Amino acid sequence: MARGPRVVAVTGGKGGVGKSTFALNLALAWAQDDRRVVLVDADLGLGTIEVMVDRTPERHLGDWLAGEAGLDEVSLPLTRGAELLASGSGQFALASLSGEEVAEALARIRDWAR
């Protein structure tokens, strides 16, 4: 039986406790273990992982959701085996997506990551 990608969510109710730091370090550790890792910064509108890795993506998830870019164009390589789908810091239109729209987007990302 073929297995799809495993999804791990790092969540919390309070800001500033290290969720992004933990998620980034977990992704990098898994990549060192020869796994393909796609880190999705789903803090829609206030994404910070691209800032943490000192990278400015040319495209972000907002471009993909608007149909202006494919996921391959949005993907930002971090290290061998790890890539980032950045939400784009300051992209507040992403924060207004409905729960259904977010679920659909995550399903499409999961299909792409296979």
Side-chain angles (χ1 to χ4, degrees), residues 55-106:
R55 304 280 301 275
T56 303
E58 291 183 29
R59 300 287 199 163
H60 51 75
L61 286 173
D63 296 322
W64 172 66
L65 290 168
E68 298 171 2
L71 285 171
D72 289 330
E73 296 172 274
V74 171
S75 175
L76 182 66
L78 296 175
T79 187
R80 184 180 62 81
E83 55 197 294
L84 170 66
L85 297 179
S87 63
S89 187
Q91 302 299 315
F92 299 108
L94 297 176
S96 65
L97 294 175
S98 71
E100 183 177 292
E101 290 169 321
V102 170
E104 180 182 330
L106 291 176

Side-chain angles (χ1 to χ4, degrees), residues 33-67:
D33 196 28
D34 292 327
R35 300 178 193 206
R36 178 178 183 220
V37 180
V38 177
L39 177 58
V40 180
D41 189 348
D43 190 351
L44 302 177
L46 295 172
T48 57
I49 294 179
E50 67 262 27
V51 175
M52 293 170 62
V53 296
D54 196 27
R55 304 280 301 275
T56 303
E58 291 183 29
R59 300 287 199 163
H60 51 75
L61 286 173
D63 296 322
W64 172 66
L65 290 168

